[in-house]
Amino acid sequence: MKTRITELLGCEYPIIQGGMAWVAEHTLASAVSNAGGIGLIAGGSAPIDYLREQIRLCKEKTNKPFGVNIMLMSPNADDLAQLCIDEGVKVITTGAGNPGKYMAAWKEAGIKVMPVVPSVALARRMEKSGADAVIAEGTESGGHIGENTTMCLVPQVVDAVEIPVIAAGGIADGRGMAAAFMLGAEGVQIGTRFLASEECQIHPTFKELVINAKDTDNIVTGRYTGHPCRNIKTKFAKKLATGEKEGTLSPEEFEQLTVGALRRAVVDGDVESGSFLCGAISGMVNDIKPCADIVKEINDGAEKLLKL
Ligand code: TUI
């Protein structure tokens, strides 16, 4: 399917892999790019040397376009933003904030910039500041989320801006992609489905939690900290949610318990104290496959439905 997104990014399929912090490293990103989508390396809160190395390793594994996600709450976001320019990164997505202050430098460097937006207002602001596309991300997504759902947010963003819109949140198969296109999206960003890919480097326990999850095994924690996060409903996530609801955990205590929790999930598979960030669609992800199969099945499934 050719859209303004495939044209803008020079990829075969309008499927972008989510820039999942601690998860999206060069093996996954290069596999998605080699499959014809756009792989992303997550800057997260990574040290600058780690991200530089990941970008260089990705270039060794693919000559297709790939990108970097800059998490704007990261204390070293300024350095990571400059590193992308220095390393000749072609595509940047941003999350968890407004990337306005980097826009001029990124555009000057010829980078295609696609901020994640949780609202129409931010989508409009991003278009004005020169974004090439926006990623309208619904609350079904894993990790740090906004309030609006994909079904409600995407068409409103499509109506509000001229630039192409990529839909994210709750999409894991051809039906979801086709639905997003019916709402006016010209591409999809997919995270959770790629957690259960062969190339994804997360701990096997994390993959098992994803493929065994059913529709209700999902929970949002941390609303009272201002940074709500969607996770797999482990005992630890339930403990956080109960503490939040019953007022037995202060926001400060919550923050203390969750510092480093994503790393403990991704690297150690630690179900006692790790946060397994994951989208609400995990109930539909039941097997581990190569990225190439995932990308092709989603694209072909959507294409077939959209031609009906
Ligand atoms: O960023 C994400 N997902 C993430 S980031 C992350 S690391 C983290 N861990 C704990 C707490 C916070 C972050 C894990 N998952 N998705 C993109 C996204 N961006 N979701 C929501 C937003 C967003 C929110 C507000 C984007 C812009 C925004 O703008 C506010 C403003 O300044 O106008």
Side-chain angles (χ1 to χ4, degrees), residues 52-209:
R52 185 185 298 107
E53 188 190 20
Q54 289 295 314
I55 293 168
R56 292 183 181 178
L57 289 168
C58 199
K59 283 181 190 161
E60 284 174 17
K61 289 205 167 169
T62 185
N63 47 26
K64 303 262 180 75
F66 68 90
V68 169
N69 173 264
I70 305 283
M71 208 277 278
L72 295 165
M73 275 167 42
S74 165
N76 63 346
D78 287 357
D79 294 343
L80 302 183
Q82 182 59 42
L83 175 75
C84 289
I85 297 174
D86 298 342
E87 291 295 313
V89 170
K90 301 277 190 292
V91 180
I92 290 181
T93 68
T94 62
N98 180 341
K101 68 171 176 170
Y102 305 119
M103 223 52 150
W106 285 342
K107 296 315 300 166
E108 176 80 10
I111 299 172
K112 307 294 182 211
V113 184
M114 311 194 297
V116 167
V117 295
S119 67
V120 166
L122 191 61
R124 284 207 176 100
R125 249 183 286 154
M126 292 299 93
E127 180 176 50
K128 277 206 191 97
S129 54
D132 296 280
V134 284
I135 304 172
E137 190 181 283
T139 195
E140 297 91 326
S141 300
H144 177 48
I145 48 171
E147 289 290 342
N148 218 336
T149 62
T150 304
M151 181 76 114
C152 296
L153 181 65
V154 171
Q156 294 185 72
V157 172
V158 166
D159 287 347
V161 298
E162 299 284 331
I163 53 178
V165 176
I166 294 164
I171 302 166
D173 69 2
R175 293 171 298 178
M177 182 169 172
F181 274 48
M182 293 307 290
L183 299 175
E186 294 179 59
V188 290
Q189 179 186 272
I190 291 178
T192 301
R193 175 63 267 202
F194 287 117
L195 288 173
S197 66
E198 280 180 7
E199 295 87 348
C200 185
Q201 301 295 301
I202 57 176
H203 195 280
T205 299
F206 198 158
K207 287 192 192 180
E208 256 168 54
L209 284 168

